[in-house]
Amino acid sequence: MSGTFVGMPPFPQAAASSTRDARLRANLTHATHTIRDKRARAVAELADWQQLRAAGAAIKNRTLRHLDHYLEQLEAAVTAAGGQVHWAADAKEANRIVTRLVQETGEREVVKVKSMATQEIGLNAALAAAGIRANETDLAELIVQLGDDLPSHILVPAIHRNRGEIRDIFRERMADWGRPAPESLSDSPADLAEAARLHLREKFLGAKVGISGANFMVAETGTLVVVESEGNGRMCLTLPETLISVVGIEKVVPTWQDLEVFLQLLPRSSTAERMNPYTSMWTGTTDEDGPRTFHLVLLDNGRSDALADTVGRQALRCIRCSACLNVCPVYERAGGHAYGSAYPGPIGAILTPQLRGVATELDASLPYASSLCGACYEVCPVAIDIPEVLVHLRERVAEGGRATVRGEVVTIKPAKGHAAERAAMRAARWAFDHPGVLRAGQRLAGRTRRFHPRRLPGPGRAWTETREVPRVPAEPFRDWWRRNRGPGRAGSPSGGGAGGEAGPGAGGAPREDGR
């Protein structure tokens, strides 16, 4: 598998393949159920969780409304603290900036602490094209890199691998990147972790350039924050002489008091911990400790376009906790690679199409990669209404229309294959606007129900491949109500009776309590 998601097929095609992988589904089911159960227990410890959730959403909304102000404040604070700020409008510009900064140091190898933004822009491939090797130091990212693989989860990028597969990857590939794995390496977590620790220690001690992301940026002081569980982040942030941080512009928060809210929400929602084992913060540079040169690359890459969408912009509230992935029935069965993006799962289904502008068949398919069950919204620590945004993006895909893409207002053509859907929706809208037509159609459907097929022909065939056409009742509810509950009938408000018919059908409908 290549190092980027370029050229990935649409979600339905990718999912059709991945759902047939029994090992993948077993790995995903075990991991996601374990993580979400632990998270539920951690969240239940806080009586004010819903208040924290509302506070997190409110802070993010306020920040996004005044994003220009807080970014300028951040830039001034970082510069005053000795750092240098670079603005990148898109992935190409960000990759060009980072590559140039590394080349100016004369180094040909860098260490990285896990960053979704660098995966989003394909930084490793861009550095490799310039003759620079990027060494991933997060354990899961290391597994993905050694296996020539792609991440499939926000929190646990190698969630699709089991211990036996990881052992084999270490044995076969670790030597190609540095210190080899022990010949007697077993698949126990302790042995695997020790092999990775020894391998990475050499990288840390020799690195002159580190590349990081950030979970948050505090505008009032120019402080960047990384939370992690292994300590690799601390090593990348302190040992190299030059540190380059690539961060999406939506990661800024106004004050330290605002940061306090997210440092309660993120650990419990991601790793099910009360606080992360390592919370690293740095502000500019100092002559006494840490990197002597600090560069902050602020990445847009479609975020301003998402900000212009009053419904879709709530995706920018995301703090990358991955809780939505762990409860999503679609992700659990299809896996992260099927989403064709660095951001898999429900959040990826709404974030990726906005960042990339519904520009490809893959992007257009992502808003449909959901059952709209709402579980993602229930667990989101910043209350992103993912189902609402999914439906909003489906409308954009089906109807086309005006949208902002890379700062320009463009007209998106309706996606191919949605002509029948659009025609059906317009016909339904017309029928609902004409009650007489709707009533006649309902009666006709009831009288011809014995002839209705269980599977739809033509364009409707795909919809009924996994479900049957709902059975039509013998008569419309309106007719039943008029006959049984209408004026003058027993059980009606004006009929004076207390009984009346039990309900439509010969035997009547059961009570809600089952009696």
Side-chain angles (χ1 to χ4, degrees):
M1 188 174 287
S2 64
T4 69
F5 289 94
V6 176
M8 294 286 285
F11 182 84
Q13 295 179 24
S17 174
S18 61
T19 51
R20 290 194 291 267
D21 188 333
R23 174 183 286 184
L24 172 66
R25 292 186 61 173
N27 292 347
L28 289 172
T29 299
H30 173 73
T32 56
H33 283 240
T34 299
I35 296 171
R36 75 192 195 192
D37 290 345
K38 290 174 61 180
R39 176 201 173 275
R41 291 192 294 270
V43 167
E45 293 178 354
L46 295 183
D48 63 344
W49 178 258
Q50 292 304 326
Q51 288 82 357
L52 278 170
R53 189 173 181 243
I59 293 169
K60 281 288 188 176
N61 284 341
R62 184 181 78 246
T63 306
L64 292 172
R65 283 197 300 271
H66 306 287
L67 188 58
D68 55 344
H69 166 73
Y70 291 119
L71 287 174
E72 290 177 355
Q73 183 182 11
L74 174 73
E75 180 185 30
V78 170
T79 303
Q84 301 176 49
V85 177
H86 310 263
W87 298 82
D90 54 27
K92 288 183 179 180
E93 186 173 9
N95 287 333
R96 187 165 57 247
I97 291 171
V98 176
T99 300
R100 174 178 59 81
L101 293 174
V102 175
Q103 288 174 332
E104 288 176 353
T105 68
E107 294 297 315
R108 291 296 173 184
E109 197 163 350
V110 301
V111 291
K112 287 180 62 192
V113 56
K114 182 173 143 183
S115 165
M116 299 294 294
T118 60
Q119 181 66 48
E120 173 191 331
I121 64 177
L123 178 61
N124 287 11
L127 291 174
I132 301 168
R133 171 178 277 192
N135 296 283
E136 298 289 353
T137 64
D138 174 84
L139 177 56
E141 290 282 3
L142 175 65
I143 295 166
V144 169
Q145 185 175 58
L146 294 181
D148 292 326
D149 204 346
L150 289 169
S152 64
H153 193 276
I154 291 176
L155 177 66
V156 193
I159 196 172
H160 55 289
R161 299 290 194 183
N162 60 34
R163 293 185 303 178
E165 293 175 296
I166 296 170
R167 175 202 59 207
D168 294 341
I169 290 172
F170 280 10
R171 285 177 175 175
E172 296 170 8
R173 295 301 312 281
M174 196 169 267
D176 297 339
W177 289 78
R179 180 177 178 134
E183 294 183 3
S184 59
L185 180 66
S186 73
D187 65 355
S188 75
D191 285 352
L192 295 173
E194 180 64 14
R197 186 179 296 113
L198 294 173
H199 175 84
L200 292 173
R201 186 170 296 161
E202 294 184 354
K203 302 295 183 183
F204 290 133
L205 294 177
K208 299 297 183 182
V209 180
I211 297 177
S212 83
N215 294 98
F216 306 102
M217 302 180 291
V218 184
E220 67 177 351
T221 59
T223 301
L224 275 69
V225 183
V226 163
V227 295
E228 38 112 8
S229 300
E230 300 169 15
N232 60 298
R234 184 71 55 82
M235 302 288 276
C236 283
L237 298 170
T238 57
L239 293 178
E241 295 176 359
T242 299
L243 175 60
I244 305 169
S245 298
V246 183
V247 191
I249 56 176
E250 81 282 13
K251 295 295 187 69
V252 65
V253 296
T255 68
W256 280 81
Q257 186 174 6
D258 297 323
L259 178 64
E260 175 191 357
V261 173
F262 297 106
L263 290 184
Q264 295 179 75
L265 288 169
L266 181 56
R268 291 179 186 269
S269 235
S270 57
T271 57
E273 296 169 300
R274 296 179 179 88
M275 65 180 294
N276 290 95
Y278 296 91
T279 300
S280 301
M281 305 180 183
W282 68 102
T283 307
T285 61
T286 174
D287 294 333
E288 300 176 356
D289 191 19
R292 297 176 183 176
T293 305
F294 170 56
H295 298 274
L296 172 59
V297 180
L298 291 172
L299 176 69
D300 189 323
N301 202 38
R303 286 159 175 80
S304 293
D305 299 338
L307 188 63
D309 188 328
T310 55
V311 176
R313 71 171 57 162
Q314 57 185 302
L316 297 178
R317 297 205 302 250
C318 177
I319 58 175
R320 310 291 192 266
C321 70
S322 78
C324 61
L325 281 70
N326 299 325
V327 298
C328 178
V330 177
Y331 173 85
E332 181 182 326
R333 288 156 179 80
H337 292 153
Y339 293 83
S341 164
Y343 306 106
I347 187 60
I350 65 171
L351 184 60
T352 299
Q354 295 190 83
L355 295 183
R356 301 200 294 216
V358 197
T360 66
E361 191 176 357
L362 167 61
D363 299 335
S365 72
L366 289 177
Y368 295 87
S370 170
S371 65
L372 300 180
C373 69
C376 50
Y377 169 69
E378 294 299 326
V379 299
C380 178
V382 287
I384 301 172
D385 194 341
I386 293 178
E388 178 189 30
V389 182
L390 285 168
V391 173
H392 172 68
L393 293 176
R394 289 180 185 186
E395 179 184 10
R396 181 187 298 178
V397 171
E399 296 290 342
R402 293 162 63 86
T404 304
V405 179
R406 296 296 186 266
E408 296 183 4
V409 178
V410 300
T411 300
I412 298 177
K413 295 181 180 180
K416 296 180 180 180
H418 289 273
E421 179 183 353
R422 290 195 300 273
M425 292 298 103
R426 288 168 181 166
R429 180 173 61 189
W430 182 83
F432 283 119
D433 284 340
H434 298 78
V437 174
L438 178 62
R439 185 161 49 250
Q442 290 174 332
R443 288 174 177 170
L444 178 63
R447 291 169 182 169
T448 60
R449 63 188 186 126
R450 71 177 68 180
F451 304 110
H452 294 177
R454 294 292 183 89
R455 298 286 186 272
L456 293 177
R461 185 181 297 110
W463 193 84
T464 55
E465 282 181 353
T466 55
R467 56 179 68 82
E468 293 183 352
V469 176
R471 291 189 176 186
V472 177
E475 63 177 333
F477 176 77
R478 292 169 182 262
D479 292 351
W480 176 89
W481 182 268
R482 185 178 295 107
R483 179 166 55 81
N484 292 281
R485 293 288 190 270
R489 298 293 181 182
S492 69
S494 59
E501 299 288 341
R511 294 168 57 94
E512 291 184 354
D513 60 6
R515 289 179 289 171

